[in-house]
Amino acid sequence: MLTTDNTMIISEIFHSMGLDGMDIGYLFIGMAACILLLLILLIVSFRKTSQLEKRLDKFMLGKDAKSLEKDIIALYEDNKFIKINMDKNKKDIRTLYKNMESAFQKVGIVKYDAFQQMGGQLSFSLALLDENNNGFVLNSVHSTEGCYTYTKEIKNGECAISLGDEEKKALSMAIGKE
């Protein structure tokens, strides 16, 4: 129980805070709500801390600070090694692409009978072209007297020398028109 002196002291405290006309029951309800809110925040904070500790324990499983530092340094060195190799591989790939431009990439071949009586289609025209349609047409004519081979240079898909029907067909196949 509160004595008159205690009530007066409490009254003076409320007056100095500007709460002299307030019912003390409302004050206790407000304080209980604040305590409940703080208790909820404390529980949430403990729960998050607990989850963080579990993650840290999982991360540090079987490790101490020294071994973890060694692992991180090893990962850094691995990343540095991978970056160096990746840069080298990019350079090598660029070189390969540049070299591939001049390599024969397109082929067209037509087999035929140079002389109708021979049979077996032993003669052929072979067109070999690079990416820019530069290369040559190889024409091999097989007869009873022997085999004769001729080449004709191709630049930008065109030949300065007239082509036979089979050579034209092989060139069209290589260029992709047929």
Side-chain angles (χ1 to χ4, degrees):
M1 278 198 85
L2 291 177
T3 63
T4 323
D5 291 334
N6 289 342
T7 308
M8 296 248 322
I9 293 172
I10 293 173
S11 224
E12 283 181 33
I13 292 172
F14 281 167
H15 180 68
S16 66
M17 292 185 342
L19 301 173
D20 51 343
M22 179 179 251
D23 186 8
I24 196 162
Y26 291 130
L27 182 64
F28 283 129
I29 291 173
M31 286 177 35
C34 286
I35 290 172
L36 183 62
L37 178 65
L38 289 173
L39 186 62
I40 290 170
L41 290 174
L42 184 67
I43 291 170
V44 169
S45 177
F46 278 137
R47 189 162 180 237
K48 286 188 176 188
T49 304
S50 173
Q51 289 174 346
L52 189 59
E53 283 178 351
K54 286 179 186 177
R55 288 178 62 197
L56 181 63
D57 289 342
K58 187 176 179 180
F59 178 71
M60 297 292 288
L61 187 65
K63 307 231 183 255
D64 58 3
K66 286 270 187 206
S67 65
L68 187 59
E69 183 179 354
K70 287 178 186 175
D71 287 348
I72 291 172
I73 289 171
L75 286 172
Y76 173 76
E77 292 298 322
D78 287 347
N79 283 342
K80 200 162 98 175
F81 175 76
I82 289 170
K83 185 179 182 317
I84 289 168
N85 281 327
M86 185 180 70
D87 291 340
K88 182 186 176 300
N89 288 343
K90 282 181 182 179
K91 183 181 175 187
D92 290 345
I93 288 170
R94 274 188 237 111
T95 302
L96 286 172
Y97 275 123
K98 185 171 175 76
N99 290 342
M100 285 295 295
E101 288 177 5
S102 60
F104 294 126
Q105 301 175 19
K106 303 173 184 179
V107 178
I109 188 165
V110 175
K111 291 181 75 175
Y112 64 96
D113 283 327
F115 306 101
Q116 304 305 341
Q117 71 276 11
M118 291 291 293
Q121 293 189 337
L122 299 175
S123 300
F124 65 89
S125 288
L126 173 67
L128 295 173
L129 304 175
D130 65 7
E131 182 177 302
N132 300 314
N133 292 331
N134 297 321
F136 61 90
V137 173
L138 180 72
N139 191 19
S140 179
V141 180
H142 185 77
S143 70
T144 55
E145 290 89 34
C147 183
Y148 303 97
T149 305
Y150 308 95
T151 60
K152 295 179 182 174
E153 185 178 18
I154 306 295
K155 287 193 178 192
N156 297 322
E158 299 292 325
C159 183
I161 303 170
S162 65
L163 297 173
D165 292 339
E166 292 82 9
E167 293 169 324
K168 287 178 185 175
K169 188 172 181 181
L171 182 60
S172 292
M173 286 173 69
I175 291 174
K177 292 182 181 175
E178 243 181 77

